[in-house]
Amino acid sequence: MTTKRVVTGNYAAAYGALLSRIQFSAAYPITPQTFIVEHLSEFVNDGILDAEFMRTESEHSAMSAVVAAEATGVRSFTATSSQGLALMHEVLFLPSALRLPVVMPVVNRTVAAPIGIWCEYNDTMPQRDTGWMQAYVEDNQEVLDMVIQAYRIAEHKDVLLPMMLSMDAFILSHTVEPVEFPNQDDVDDFLPPYKAEHAHLWPEDPMIIGSFTPPEYIQEVRYQTDQAMHAARDVIKEVTKEFGKKFGRDYGGLVEEYRMDDAEVALVSLGTVTSTARDVVDELREEGKKVGLVKLRYFRPYPYEEIRKVAEQVSAIGFYDRSISYGSGGPNYIEGRHALYGLDIPVMNFLAGLGGRDVTVPDIRLMYEKLLEAAKEGKAMKEIIWIGTRGVEP
Amino acid sequence: MINIKDLPDEELFTPGHTACPGCGVAQAVRNLMKVLGKNTVVYLPANCLLVFSATYPLDAFKVPYLHLLFENSGVAAAGIRRALRKLGKNDVNVVALAGDGGTADIGMQALSGAAERNEDIIYVMVDNEAYMNTGIQRSGSTPFGAWTTTTPVGKKIKGKMEHKKDVMKIMMAHEVPYAATVSPAFPADMLRKFEKVKNKHGFRFLQIYTTCPTGWRAPSEKTITLARMAVETGIFPLLEYEDGVLKVNYRPKGKYTVEEYLKAQGRFKHFTPEMMEEVKHWIEMKWRWIRTIEEGQKALEQEE
Ligand SMILES: Cc1ncc(C[n+]2csc(CCOP(=O)(O)OP(=O)(O)O)c2C)c(N)n1
Ligand code: SF4
Ligand SMILES: [Mg+2]
């Protein structure tokens, strides 16, 4: 029997960890992730979560402990945000190359300067090349469901890579929504206990992990990690399906398409903006405009094929971004462009909501207007567009 | 009590590694591993030891080890311990073998956190008094006046201008269950301390004086002599802090002078008489503090 409860995204994340029967966690508080650490502390102190829990003195240490514990052979979990993720950066490269399937929700928050605590993706996006899978979620139900799925995907023998779950600051972390809680037996069925076969630190079966490695060997490690990231695409699709069958919520794999049948233009969004965009699509459809939406669920591995397939059906495509690679464009747009190489349609980038500014219905309407205009003209008047920026003509 | 003759023949830190001749780190680790035994997991941060013992596909350790980074030894070892506990493997020794740089400087935060949380690990600081792995740069644990590649002997400034950071004192300030300094020139004391950390629980700290002939510009056959001189001059006191009580394990008998110690090493070659005096003054201060604690403890005992 499942239960429905009204909870915050942070609670959903912590409860997802509990349902996943994590064995070890180390964490450090930072707004807006703090409640995840607090909820875990409560679960452990109330005896409902049977895990070792280390309250470390920094995020660098939290991630170090988590990687060490995972290398020792237990399912491990942490969560962070913004400056905390930046502080972890050095440690992030380890679990991917050492093939340790750690899972970490990241509550997306602005990285200073200027200091701010609201939603921006300039914390997770710069971690692109650390070898972590990166999923972006839309609501609190997806937060909970994705923690469980993340372990299944990460621990798959063809993958064995860490995964971060990006969830929007405050919009998810601090906002309550009804969430269906799967029961423990079903989760246990879906996610069996972690078996540390390829990596463990047990004297009865000595293994060395992380030795000093000369050029004769490192390149193969890089190749294997890259192969694992590629392999993750199929595993993600399989696991998403299986989860859908078991729990009744199929998120569609690497992307989810919304009203894309016969669409003339498509917007590729990620995070909570997707929910607002769904409403805008409905409105515009009612007005007779053929617009569609693609929710990017994974930034790593990036769904190149899926995005290309979508683009092949439309006359213009736009990519939404909540962070910027200075002098270049938004990371989603950069990846998307790469997927579309050689395809002759207008491609646009919409930058909005940086620093946590609300992305409103009119903002998204404007994105679609620009796309429809580009589709009609056969080219974009301007490719990279800053939406709702003081003193800047969109 | 374990005797040097009782040490098992089996090497858990095997020959064939690539340490320099006379390396005090290799020697200390070899003996420590013999005492800790097979049921041990090692954490190695980046340092000389990692490079000379653990270059893929070779490996001098016969027990499992993990290397992640340079500055996280305290917490990484703690992560291993917590995971082993979760798996019911409670009898395993978990030991971090960190350099003085990885301990006194960049690793201090993770060390302090682990000590404060009383993580059930053995933390060993192999103190060769500089960043040797990267080519002899100064660390917080480099002694006053020493030449290193970042404290060169210039026309204006000659060597390191600051004194050695006292990590043992910092560990005592954390009120850890056990902390001790170790000199390989005092094997009985050394082995007793190795056994002690093996048999105790909670956070255990050892600072081992490990001669680095290469970095100290000293002859490789002087490894043990220098270790003895450091203790005899009072420069490296043999101390033990357990359950809140400080013990002096050896009282320097003045068999060597400070001048003799400094002259035996190229890193102090440029010393002026004033610099020698500064070192002596520092030793006096160090021992004044130790005596203050000792006398306070004695007075308390009498009172009780
Ligand atoms: C974050 C980081 N900064 C710098 C380094 C480079 N580095 C590796 S080992 C080392 C010095 C090690 O000194 P110590 O801890 O005293 O060990 P030793 O080699 O002297 O035994 C340095 C600076 C690194 N690996 N990581
Ligand atoms: S440089 Fe010093 S510490 Fe490093 S291997 Fe040589 S003697 Fe040992
Ligand atoms: Mg050193």
Side-chain angles (χ1 to χ4, degrees), chain A residues 118-390:
Chain A
W118 295 274
C119 183
E120 186 166 349
Y121 297 159
N122 65 345
D123 52 1
T124 46
M125 287 296 175
Q127 312 306 332
R128 184 191 68 182
D129 297 338
T130 54
W132 284 62
M133 292 181 281
Q134 267 192 38
Y136 286 77
V137 300
E138 189 182 345
D139 57 30
N140 292 350
Q141 182 71 60
E142 197 177 3
V143 170
L144 186 142
D145 291 347
M146 276 305 293
V147 174
I148 300 163
Q149 289 185 48
Y151 278 110
R152 259 297 292 278
I153 296 159
E155 291 173 6
H156 191 286
K157 64 168 180 28
D158 296 341
V159 180
L160 293 171
L161 291 175
M163 191 190 291
M164 59 179 84
L165 299 177
S166 306
M167 49 188 272
D168 291 1
F170 298 105
I171 306 167
L172 294 182
S173 65
H174 286 58
T175 307
V176 292
E177 283 184 330
V179 171
E180 195 168 295
F181 281 54
N183 73 46
Q184 185 69 61
D185 288 345
D186 288 341
V187 176
D188 289 346
D189 213 38
F190 178 79
L191 180 68
Y194 177 56
K195 272 209 211 79
E197 275 156 1
H198 69 297
H200 55 231
L201 296 166
W202 305 339
E204 69 270 24
D205 180 21
M207 207 180 268
I208 56 175
I209 302 178
S211 46
F212 186 69
T213 308
E216 287 90 321
Y217 302 99
I218 290 196
Q219 197 156 309
E220 285 71 19
V221 179
R222 298 287 175 262
Y223 176 76
Q224 288 171 359
T225 310
D226 181 51
Q227 289 301 298
M229 190 61 89
H230 282 297
R233 290 197 176 88
D234 283 341
V235 175
I236 287 166
K237 287 179 213 162
E238 258 168 54
V239 171
T240 317
K241 262 214 188 74
E242 200 188 317
F243 188 90
K245 258 196 225 133
K246 188 152 190 77
F247 299 96
R249 289 181 294 277
D250 186 340
Y251 291 94
L254 292 159
V255 298
E256 185 211 322
E257 295 184 14
Y258 185 70
R259 304 193 77 165
M260 276 305 298
D261 296 337
D262 78 349
E264 274 168 16
V265 301
L267 178 68
V268 182
S269 71
L270 69 174
T272 53
V273 163
T274 308
S275 295
T276 317
R278 286 179 202 272
D279 288 346
V280 174
V281 168
D282 290 346
E283 280 178 21
L284 291 171
R285 283 277 180 176
E286 245 163 64
E287 294 164 22
K289 291 174 181 143
K290 291 186 171 170
V291 298
L293 177 68
V294 178
K295 169 179 164 188
L296 186 88
R297 299 193 62 242
Y298 284 84
F299 183 72
R300 275 292 176 276
Y302 196 85
Y304 297 108
E305 264 179 38
E306 287 78 355
I307 296 296
R308 190 171 180 99
K309 235 176 75 206
V310 162
E312 280 168 351
Q313 303 163 28
V314 297
S315 312
I317 187 165
F319 293 87
Y320 166 70
D321 272 293
R322 204 159 196 155
S323 65
I324 170 92
S325 178
Y326 297 115
S328 186
N332 182 25
Y333 156 76
I334 296 168
E335 294 289 329
R337 255 219 164 287
H338 174 46
L340 305 183
Y341 180 76
L343 203 69
D344 193 20
I345 58 162
V347 180
M348 304 180 84
N349 186 198
F350 302 109
L351 293 158
L354 279 70
R357 186 165 301 181
D358 284 340
V359 182
T360 61
V361 168
D363 290 339
I364 296 172
R365 267 186 163 268
L366 182 60
M367 296 177 201
Y368 276 113
E369 272 164 34
K370 296 275 176 197
L371 281 171
L372 287 165
E373 190 185 291
K376 206 168 103 204
E377 301 291 327
K379 69 177 190 356
M381 298 307 286
K382 205 166 152 194
E383 186 156 333
I384 301 178
I385 297 180
W386 287 77
I387 305 271
T389 316
R390 241 177 248 110

Side-chain angles (χ1 to χ4, degrees), chain A residues 23-89:
Chain A
Q23 295 163 289
F24 177 83
S25 180
Y28 192 83
I30 176 168
T31 304
Q33 155 271 26
T34 315
F35 286 112
I36 301 180
V37 188
E38 293 181 7
H39 292 315
L40 283 176
S41 306
E42 287 154 16
F43 296 161
V44 169
N45 283 11
D46 285 341
I48 57 168
L49 174 60
D50 182 20
E52 286 283 333
F53 186 40
M54 196 190 284
R55 288 88 168 168
T56 54
E57 78 297 332
S58 79
E59 287 90 350
H60 192 283
S61 281
M63 183 48 73
S64 292
V66 160
V67 174
E70 189 78 40
T72 310
V74 300
R75 183 175 287 158
S76 304
F77 178 88
T78 186
T80 191
S81 180
S82 181
Q83 313 298 140
L85 186 64
L87 188 57
M88 279 181 185
H89 180 68

Side-chain angles (χ1 to χ4, degrees), chain A residues 58 64 90 204 209 211-212, chain B residues 56 65 67 71-72 89 109:
Chain A
S58 79
S64 292
E90 187 197 21
E204 69 270 24
I209 302 178
S211 46
F212 186 69
Chain B
Y56 188 84
Y65 77 71
H67 161 69
E71 67 277 46
N72 62 0
K89 299 173 193 287
Q109 178 176 314

Side-chain angles (χ1 to χ4, degrees), chain B residues 71-270:
Chain B
E71 67 277 46
N72 62 0
S73 301
V75 72
I80 296 170
R81 154 63 69 218
R82 301 278 198 113
L84 288 170
R85 191 188 294 158
K86 188 75 195 116
L87 295 167
K89 299 173 193 287
N90 288 317
D91 57 343
V92 181
N93 308 305
V94 179
V95 60
L97 302 173
D100 52 291
T103 301
D105 299 340
I106 198 166
M108 180 54 80
Q109 178 176 314
L111 168 65
S112 174
E116 176 268 325
R117 293 189 304 272
N118 196 22
E119 300 285 356
D120 188 19
I121 59 167
I122 302 166
Y123 188 105
V124 178
M125 169 187 184
V126 284
D127 188 3
N128 54 18
E129 302 195 321
Y131 302 161
M132 295 311 177
N133 184 39
T134 37
I136 326 171
Q137 293 84 29
R138 134 209 227 282
S139 82
S141 193
T142 300
F144 170 79
W147 163 88
T148 69
T149 55
T150 51
T151 54
V153 180
K155 289 203 180 79
K156 189 171 157 207
I157 301 167
K158 297 183 193 311
K160 188 187 177 193
M161 287 297 98
E162 305 79 23
H163 282 288
K164 182 181 171 86
K165 189 190 282 191
D166 195 335
V167 179
M168 175 69 186
K169 248 190 219 166
I170 296 173
M171 286 296 99
M172 286 166 56
H174 283 73
E175 295 159 4
V176 293
Y178 187 82
T181 57
V182 173
S183 168
F186 295 76
D189 184 69
M190 173 179 82
L191 294 178
R192 186 180 61 77
K193 287 169 175 169
F194 287 178
E195 271 222 304
K196 193 86 174 192
V197 293
K198 182 183 179 182
N199 296 324
K200 267 190 93 84
H201 283 289
F203 192 87
R204 293 144 282 168
F205 173 81
L206 293 178
Q207 178 177 1
I208 313 181
Y209 181 98
T210 47
T211 307
C212 170
T214 308
W216 297 2
R217 301 293 192 245
S220 57
E221 71 276 11
K222 287 275 191 287
T223 298
I224 300 298
T225 310
L226 287 174
R228 171 161 298 113
M229 286 173 140
V231 175
E232 285 292 354
T233 51
I235 284 176
F236 190 83
L238 281 186
L239 304 174
E240 192 171 31
Y241 172 84
E242 189 174 12
D243 303 324
V245 178
L246 179 69
K247 269 194 215 129
V248 178
N249 303 112
Y250 181 82
R251 254 163 241 289
K253 301 197 172 55
K255 284 182 195 154
Y256 295 98
T257 63
V258 172
E259 283 82 356
E260 281 173 307
Y261 176 74
L262 297 171
K263 282 191 174 138
Q265 303 169 59
R267 62 175 170 157
F268 301 121
K269 188 169 72 184
H270 53 284

